[in-house]
Amino acid sequence: MIFDLRSDTVTKPTLEMRRAMAEAEVGDDVYGEDPTTLALQERVAVLLGKEAALFVSSGTMANQLAIATQTRRGDEVIVGEGAHPIWYESGGAAALSGVQFQVAGTGGFYEPEDIDANVKPRAYYSPRTSLIALENTHNRAGGRVLSALKANAIAERARSLGLRAHLDGARLWNAAVALGESESELARSFDTVSVCFSKGLGAPIGSALVGDRVVIEEAHRLRKMWGGGMRQTGVLAAAALHALEHHRKRLAEDHAAGKMLSSLLKSAKGLKARDPETNIVNIDVEADADKVVALAKDRGLLVGVSGPRRIRAVLHLDIAKESVPRCAEILAEAVSAASKAL
Ligand SMILES: Cc1ncc(COP(=O)(O)O)c(C=O)c1O
């Protein structure tokens, strides 16, 4: 038995989800004729309280479309520390949109005043700051959440300065469940939002970019230009619709499993597990993180590395809470073995 805690992206479609995919009504989405995709886009737009949504292949594509549609070459985008497009999107913002990033605050989130402190003056020699982006939940920060009050205050400050605001909500579903606030409330003051169906929700593929009609029309054009126009996407949209319907509320179980893992590791030596706010547990280790990961793998547990001395464990649909004590045990053993080898 292998426990895979590397990410919530490793989930496999359930039998019911596969059934929904098999039975999906489909058409050619490049002609705008896939009824299931159109239904998903409508559903997501309503859920997020925006005018329109576009189904795309990945969270990366959704974020990159948000940047490309709301900036010009040479512009600057303000983001929090550890933002996904800085670390994990293959330099797409530089290659596709020609923008630079300015990091604001520490620990992933930032305050409205940090925008004032970082926005560049309107001068011919300054980059034009045109967009801010906020990640909720924040991946590298260990699934941290920001309340609707705080998140919207940031977006509103940006908009008052004439900037656009993008919300990277790859795990907005987790934030909504953890905070007890709706997705539309968390997204209220943002111009665009990206959401993923292929993480905690358990769909095999797919994300969406959501926003006003004008920006989504332009994203539609760019999606085709980038080779992201797909045909009978209804089989994928059906999985996403199934996930929205059946897998959203249960995210609370992943959050509880994360807390259980962290508390079971409290007494272990050579590590410090952060108290998680959602399904991502960051664990600081005294030994080399790669070594701990290799030793855990030998014992049947897969975890990720997010720094030289940091490990990441992510709870998800395919990890039963009954397995969590065994996962904690293996991790503690691996850390102990790695420490002895120091
Ligand atoms: C916060 C955040 N944004 C965007 C993405 C990108 O999603 P994808 O892997 O579908 O490109 C991820 C992926 O883990 C993420 O954690």
Side-chain angles (χ1 to χ4, degrees):
M1 176 84 186
I2 302 279
F3 302 109
D4 193 346
L5 265 54
R6 287 172 300 166
S7 175
D8 47 10
T9 57
V10 302
T11 53
K12 304 211 171 106
T14 61
L15 198 59
E16 295 74 29
M17 185 180 277
R18 288 169 194 258
R19 206 165 280 138
M21 295 170 77
E23 289 168 3
E25 237 189 288
V26 297
D28 189 330
D29 189 56
V30 173
Y31 290 122
E33 291 172 1
D34 187 283
T36 312
T37 302
L38 295 174
L40 172 67
Q41 290 175 167
E42 180 59 32
R43 172 96 174 95
V44 175
V46 169
L47 254 178
L48 273 293
K50 306 288 177 210
E51 280 178 6
L54 183 72
F55 183 63
V56 296
S57 60
S58 66
T60 295
M61 186 180 269
N63 278 344
Q64 291 302 326
L65 285 170
I67 294 170
T69 52
Q70 297 178 100
T71 59
R72 288 187 296 193
R73 298 190 79 74
D75 281 5
E76 177 178 85
V77 181
I78 294 178
V79 294
E81 205 175 50
H84 198 273
I86 290 189
W87 280 81
Y88 307 112
E89 299 187 10
S90 310
L96 300 168
S97 299
V99 295
Q100 68 181 33
F101 288 112
Q102 169 71 55
V103 174
T106 53
F109 298 135
Y110 52 91
E111 301 293 328
E113 308 78 66
D114 292 322
I115 301 178
D116 302 75
N118 283 291
V119 72
K120 301 299 177 286
R122 291 271 175 203
Y124 73 89
Y125 48 79
S126 299
R128 209 178 60 128
T129 312
S130 51
L131 179 69
I132 67 111
L134 190 77
E135 202 171 301
N136 199 11
T137 70
H138 198 291
N139 183 348
R140 275 186 72 82
R144 284 183 63 207
V145 296
L146 202 62
S147 70
L149 189 71
K150 289 191 171 164
N152 286 317
I154 291 167
E156 278 151 28
R157 178 64 65 92
R159 295 178 68 170
S160 76
L161 294 169
L163 319 181
R164 307 262 309 177
H166 172 64
L167 175 61
D168 180 350
R171 295 183 181 80
L172 194 66
W173 325 111
N174 295 80
V177 165
L179 291 159
E181 298 181 297
S182 69
E183 288 84 357
S184 63
E185 186 47 30
L186 288 164
R188 183 168 46 80
S189 300
F190 290 83
D191 295 289
T192 52
V193 189
S194 49
V195 288
C196 294
F197 312 112
S198 57
K199 306 207 159 56
L201 293 190
I205 297 172
S207 294
L209 180 68
V210 196
D212 62 59
R213 217 164 280 290
V214 173
V215 90
I216 297 304
E217 267 170 25
E218 178 60 4
H220 194 189
R221 193 181 76 83
L222 290 178
R223 184 187 71 175
K224 186 74 176 84
M225 184 193 289
W226 294 353
M230 300 180 285
R231 303 293 175 171
Q232 285 72 30
T233 46
V235 286
L236 302 175
L241 279 166
H242 180 89
L244 285 174
E245 196 62 43
H246 300 285
H247 295 170
R248 219 141 38 98
K249 293 231 171 68
R250 65 150 305 285
L251 292 172
E253 296 171 29
D254 299 339
H255 302 172
K259 285 199 166 48
M260 190 200 290
L261 180 69
S262 156
S263 74
L264 286 168
L265 288 170
K266 282 274 179 302
S267 55
K269 294 205 169 53
L271 66 84
K272 189 173 176 347
R274 304 291 173 101
D275 203 9
E277 295 178 20
T278 54
N279 65 328
I280 302 177
V281 189
N282 274 345
I283 302 158
D284 295 320
V285 289
E286 284 167 17
D288 176 63
D290 286 318
K291 196 171 282 173
V292 175
V293 169
L295 289 164
K297 187 177 176 188
D298 291 343
R299 291 161 169 80
L301 174 70
L302 305 181
V303 285
V305 169
S306 60
R309 305 218 177 257
R310 178 169 286 180
I311 281 166
R312 189 182 87 139
V314 187
L315 287 303
H316 54 75
L317 188 60
D318 292 352
I319 298 290
K321 73 169 187 290
E322 292 73 23
S323 315
V324 175
R326 180 65 195 135
C327 294
E329 208 171 78
I330 296 177
L331 202 54
E333 276 171 28
V335 167
S336 162
S339 307
K340 277 188 195 125
L342 276 178

